[in-house]
Amino acid sequence: QRDGHAIHEFFDGALVQRWEVSLADAVHAMSLLSADLARQHCQNSAASEPDIHPWAILAAAGHDVVILCPRSHGSHGTLYPRRWLPQAASEHATVALQMPSREHLWLLRSQTVANQAEKSAKVWLVREHLQSGHMDNFALPKDRSWAPGLCIRNSSLLLAAYHPRDKSPEIWHLETIDS
């Protein structure tokens, strides 16, 4: 299903479960949270047994960013919104997101800018400090086509781009200061 209201879980290439998304808006970007962050945000203190799912999803849906927690119901499952991240909400499209720690959230945002001469996209990185709500914005060069994704590994952020003038793909490696 490609309407953003269900997510399919696979293991070794085989479909394990279909998860319904309990949101009005469709999910258009997502990433997995680490087991530690999933436990922190999804643990149900009212449950008599611990949550058996060692994952959660960080999702962009509509203008919102939310943490979705899995709950199984026999042969089907539902992803429920557990924590809304209100400072991360924006009228601009969130095309990728990562939460490497409980302190920071990284977003890749895009805004289509149309003028009479050309149509282009303004793309920037946003780092939200989750405790204070402070946001740092980093504009990315406009002469690239940026892939809708980002990867965080250790203290590095990786982005992929295409340089139309040189007709070459690029990997951008950025050192982050929030590890």
Side-chain angles (χ1 to χ4, degrees), residues 26-53:
V27 171
H28 58 265
M30 68 177 194
S31 68
L32 288 173
L33 291 182
S34 69
D36 287 342
L37 288 173
R39 196 170 24 262
Q40 174 192 349
H41 292 290
C42 297
Q43 187 71 35
N44 186 351
S45 60
S48 59
E49 59 187 58
D51 190 351
I52 60 168
H53 302 287

Side-chain angles (χ1 to χ4, degrees), residues 36-177:
D36 287 342
L37 288 173
R39 196 170 24 262
Q40 174 192 349
H41 292 290
C42 297
Q43 187 71 35
N44 186 351
S45 60
S48 59
E49 59 187 58
D51 190 351
I52 60 168
H53 302 287
W55 54 269
I57 292 178
L58 179 65
H63 298 294
D64 297 315
V65 175
V66 63
I67 294 173
L68 298 172
C69 298
R71 296 287 181 258
S72 293
H73 311 285
S75 62
H76 69 282
T78 304
L79 294 167
Y80 291 101
R82 181 63 179 225
R83 180 175 178 204
W84 298 87
L85 303 169
Q87 294 87 356
S90 174
E91 69 275 8
H92 305 298
T94 299
V95 296
L97 60 172
Q98 288 283 336
M99 183 187 281
S101 70
R102 58 184 70 174
E103 288 89 24
H104 296 97
L105 170 67
W106 283 92
L107 305 162
L108 183 64
R109 292 240 163 99
S110 176
Q111 177 186 20
T112 302
V113 179
N115 60 34
Q116 293 176 340
E118 65 182 82
K119 183 179 177 181
S120 64
K122 175 183 170 187
V123 179
W124 65 99
L125 278 168
V126 177
R127 177 180 54 201
E128 179 183 347
H129 303 266
L130 294 172
Q131 298 299 330
S132 67
H134 176 76
M135 299 178 91
D136 300 313
N137 293 287
F138 307 96
L140 297 175
K142 293 179 185 176
D143 63 344
R144 307 291 198 280
S145 295
W146 295 94
L150 57 96
C151 177
I152 295 177
R153 179 149 172 88
N154 299 326
S155 63
S156 299
L157 182 104
L158 299 172
L159 297 167
Y162 178 76
H163 195 285
R165 186 184 63 225
D166 297 341
K167 295 184 170 57
S168 63
E170 300 173 338
I171 299 290
W172 284 56
H173 177 103
L174 306 170
E175 290 296 319
T176 64
I177 47 179

